[in-house]
Amino acid sequence: MNRNSLPPRTISSLLKHWSRRYATEQTQAKQTQTRPKKSPVYVGLTQPPEAESVSCDYIGPPDAKSNLRPYVRHYDENETEMAKKLRLLRIEVEKWNMDFWTKHNKRFYEEKDDFIRLHKLNGSEELTADQMSVFYKTFLDKNRRIHLMYNISWYLKNFDMLTLAFAVHVQSTVNRFRRKP
């Protein structure tokens, strides 16, 4: 098990109690005689916090329509232009992703309801897993091109964010060395 991860019991209990909250992991140093250890402290809010007032990123509960967890991005007052560009790009990509999956899931559930309604009209009251697998396969085949274009766009957007994040990291490292005498 990873040192930074929680035991399975703790994760499941957190999920039960915090499923509808904006959460983040913050660390606190414990006072010990040898070396201070860091233990995670989970903070939960029922409403999304203001981006200006938080000291780290917050992850919200899953959106009902897209099933994606929204982020509240933290930013510093002394944020560089490049870091601001990265943060705004992340927000833009998250919005694009949220919009895509909202439309996709709406289309999926509408077509699924139509499929179930048509089978009920034909006399079969309950659908088997095999009958539903026909619908799933048909839906995936019909939307193959959309999924392919989404994946290509997603990879390109992530590559742009990674290169910009690398540039921000290099810039902050260079600035750190310039400040040291």
Side-chain angles (χ1 to χ4, degrees):
M1 179 168 42
N2 186 352
R3 285 185 198 169
N4 296 334
S5 66
L6 294 171
R9 247 181 278 141
T10 308
I11 290 175
S12 64
S13 66
L14 280 173
L15 291 176
K16 287 178 188 173
H17 300 290
W18 298 85
S19 61
R20 289 310 211 190
R21 298 182 184 270
Y22 281 78
T24 186
E25 181 180 335
Q26 296 178 343
T27 56
Q28 281 184 337
K30 285 186 176 179
Q31 298 294 333
T32 60
Q33 294 171 347
T34 57
R35 197 171 112 199
K37 282 188 174 181
K38 292 184 177 181
S39 64
V41 175
Y42 293 94
V43 178
L45 303 171
T46 55
Q47 296 295 320
E50 294 294 323
E52 300 86 20
S53 65
V54 297
S55 60
C56 55
D57 291 350
Y58 277 74
I59 303 170
D63 182 67
K65 295 177 183 173
S66 69
N67 292 327
L68 297 176
R69 291 182 175 270
Y71 283 81
V72 175
R73 296 276 178 196
H74 158 73
Y75 63 92
D76 293 321
E77 292 174 3
N78 56 353
E79 181 178 48
T80 64
E81 279 299 314
M82 199 178 302
K84 181 178 180 180
K85 186 176 178 183
L86 174 62
R87 180 176 50 85
L88 294 176
L89 181 61
R90 284 177 172 168
I91 291 170
E92 177 186 326
V93 169
E94 288 163 4
K95 184 183 178 327
W96 169 82
N97 197 30
M98 183 83 71
D99 290 343
F100 174 83
W101 285 108
T102 300
K103 291 174 189 174
H104 179 273
N105 291 346
K106 180 182 178 200
R107 191 171 57 248
F108 172 80
Y109 287 118
E110 286 173 354
E111 290 184 28
K112 182 180 173 186
D113 292 342
D114 290 344
F115 182 81
I116 292 171
R117 190 173 30 81
L118 285 173
H119 268 69
K120 286 185 178 180
L121 288 175
N122 290 338
S124 61
E125 198 57 37
E126 288 200 25
L127 293 173
T128 64
D130 288 338
Q131 290 171 323
M132 286 306 295
S133 70
V134 170
F135 163 73
Y136 297 136
K137 172 77 168 119
T138 305
F139 183 81
L140 288 174
D141 288 344
K142 186 168 52 170
N143 291 292
R144 184 178 191 281
R145 183 168 174 77
I146 293 170
H147 293 151
L148 180 67
M149 296 308 294
Y150 166 80
N151 283 339
I152 291 170
S153 298
W154 178 246
Y155 293 139
L156 291 173
K157 289 173 188 295
N158 274 302
F159 182 76
D160 289 344
M161 285 191 300
L162 281 172
T163 54
L164 192 53
F166 178 73
V168 167
H169 181 70
V170 168
Q171 183 184 44
S172 67
T173 304
V174 167
N175 288 341
R176 194 175 315 128
F177 283 121
R178 282 185 184 163
R179 279 185 251 146
K180 288 186 178 180

